[in-house]
Each structure stands twice: as structure tokens, then as C-alpha cells.
Amino acid sequence: MPQKILVIEDEPTLARLLSYNLTQEGYETKVVDHGSDGLQAALQQYFDLIILDIMLPGMNGFEILSKLRQKGNKTPVIILTARNAEEEVVQGLKYGADDYITKPFGVAELLARVSAVLRRTMAEDGTQEKAGTGEKVISAGDLYIYPEKYEVLLGGESIPLRPKEFEVLLYLVQRPGVVVTRDDLMNIVWGFDYIGGQRTVDVHVSSLRKKLEMNQQSVQIESIRGVGYKLVTSVGALKK
């Protein structure tokens, strides 16, 4: 499956250029031209990389980046900055950007930086590829998640999950040691316009917890009273 890249850029010509060249290179791209919509897309869907412009309508790139990191989202981000904008680069890196590209830029530089950040991120965070298939695997202890197939293995055994249970688990595993609030899970998994209450989150987490803890104790979902949940493992370190 192709790696997924979110492009948050409001200048149409540049957005088309980015999307076209990334697609030609084999990536799957999604383009959003508004800051608030870009943040929502980054929180609601899984992406391998985000390319983020600084000047955006609705919400600027620094705000988006800051909110992503505050919510525990570790998706690598490459910011787009203007020529000679050293302050933008410094501020972006402080907020948690992984790299930057100075406009105007060449296609070769763009693709090289994208490839470098993706390789570095995979090496650092434990994301693996199943040998010979290019299939992504996200692991935590004895837990292995295959995002493209909605498949979960725990201790070598397949764990059947409903779609929403899978999305809750994926979001928790991508935030090692981070307490995720019920509101965050509601917004990210069910959407901002979902009219149900937090009880829906609790029911799904309860069902998910039972499936994970059946005959094993290495991977558990802890309840943080009055706040939310976090996933913990007793087998090695959590890995994205």
C-alpha cells in the first residue's frame, strides 16, 4: 500500500504541483486548503507525513503543528517556509516540525526531503514493513497492527475488532504513554458532528479492553478517572 501524505496548502498552483509530483512518486496524497480543515483531517485520518504551509486561512501552520503535538499526534511534519524566513524555520522546529523546505524549491529537493523524513521516522519510531510485502506494521509489545488491512495480532493470535474498536486502538497505540481524553476519541474516531455521547466511547473501549486482555496481561488499556484512557504494555517499549 502506498504511504499517505497530507498536503495542507492554500495556493492552488503549488498544491497541484505537490500533489502531482508526490503521486507520480507513488505516494497517496490528500490536499486541504484551509487551516482548520487541515487540522481536522490530520486528527481524523492516518497519514505517514504532513506537508504544512505556514500561511493558511482559518488557522496558521504553527497553530496546527502545536495542536497536533499537544494531542500526542507524532505524524512527521515538513513545513513550507518563505526564502530567508529563518524565524519561521526556528519556530516551526520548536513546535515539533521534522524538516522544512524553503520556497521556491525543486521537485528533486522535495522528493528527497520527503523520502529522508519517512526513512528517519520509520527507523526511530519502530514502524516496520512486513518482509517482502511493503506492508506497514505498528507494534506495541506483543501487539501488531496492520492499518491497511484493519488487522490486529496479539501474541500471534488474530483479535477480531469492529471498525471503531480498531480505530480507537490505533489512535491509542500511536500515542505511547499519553492519556487520550474521551472528547478526543469522540472527535477523532466518530467525528466532530457525531451527536452521540461519551458513553459510546466507554462502551467501545470496554469491549476493546476485554478482547485485548483475554488470556494475556502484556497489553492493557488503563482508565484515567475523569479524563480518558491510555494504552500500556509490560513487554518492551511502546513502538509506533
Side-chain angles (χ1 to χ4, degrees):
M1 298 292 291
Q3 291 174 299
K4 299 179 181 180
I5 298 179
L6 173 63
V7 177
I8 308 178
E9 168 59 62
D10 67 320
E11 203 287 304
T13 301
L14 179 55
R16 286 195 297 269
L17 174 69
L18 289 166
S19 179
Y20 174 78
N21 285 285
L22 291 169
T23 301
Q24 288 294 106
E25 194 69 10
Y27 300 110
E28 180 180 326
T29 63
K30 177 182 178 67
V31 177
V32 180
D33 62 2
H34 190 277
S36 298
D37 294 340
L39 175 63
Q40 184 171 338
L43 290 174
Q44 289 186 332
Q45 302 174 45
Y46 176 84
F47 292 98
D48 296 280
L49 176 70
I50 298 171
I51 296 179
L52 176 64
D53 194 14
I54 299 300
M55 302 302 296
L56 294 164
M59 181 182 297
N60 67 47
F62 296 132
E63 293 176 287
I64 294 172
L65 185 53
S66 177
K67 290 180 182 295
L68 286 176
R69 298 309 187 228
Q70 286 173 8
K71 290 182 177 293
N73 187 303
K74 295 186 176 181
T75 304
V77 173
I78 297 177
I79 58 173
L80 301 178
T81 70
R83 183 183 297 275
N84 300 322
E86 182 177 352
E87 290 185 3
E88 287 187 352
V89 173
V90 172
Q91 189 171 355
L93 295 175
K94 284 183 177 179
Y95 276 121
D98 296 84
D99 201 354
Y100 66 92
I101 300 177
T102 301
K103 297 185 285 187
F105 53 83
V107 173
E109 178 188 3
L110 165 70
L111 297 178
R113 287 188 179 273
V114 166
S115 178
V117 169
L118 289 171
R119 285 198 311 270
R120 184 168 69 245
T121 303
M122 290 179 66
E124 291 175 351
D125 65 15
T127 302
Q128 308 161 23
E129 287 189 356
K130 189 174 180 181
T133 67
E135 183 180 350
K136 182 167 295 179
V137 183
I138 299 173
S139 62
D142 291 334
L143 181 70
Y144 292 85
I145 301 176
Y146 299 83
E148 290 88 354
K149 298 194 303 182
Y150 268 56
E151 182 179 343
V152 176
L153 298 180
L154 182 57
E157 298 292 328
S158 177
I159 306 296
L161 299 179
R162 291 177 292 174
K164 294 301 184 185
E165 292 173 346
F166 180 90
E167 292 176 32
V168 168
L169 178 61
L170 181 61
Y171 190 73
L172 291 172
V173 170
Q174 289 176 312
R175 287 144 186 84
V178 175
V179 178
V180 177
T181 69
R182 289 177 174 84
D183 283 340
D184 279 346
L185 284 172
M186 177 70 72
N187 292 334
I188 290 155
V189 176
W190 281 268
F192 289 91
D193 56 352
Y194 181 72
I195 60 175
Q198 291 185 346
R199 178 62 180 164
T200 299
V201 176
D202 295 336
V203 169
H204 279 76
V205 171
S206 177
S207 174
L208 175 59
R209 177 187 282 135
K210 291 176 182 178
K211 293 178 181 180
L212 292 179
E213 295 181 354
M214 188 177 297
N215 301 320
Q216 67 87 40
Q217 296 295 318
S218 65
V219 179
Q220 300 179 2
I221 297 176
E222 288 188 353
S223 297
I224 309 301
R225 188 170 182 175
V227 182
Y229 302 96
K230 70 176 178 179
L231 188 140
V232 297
T233 177
S234 59
V235 180
L238 275 172
K239 300 184 290 182
K240 176 181 173 184

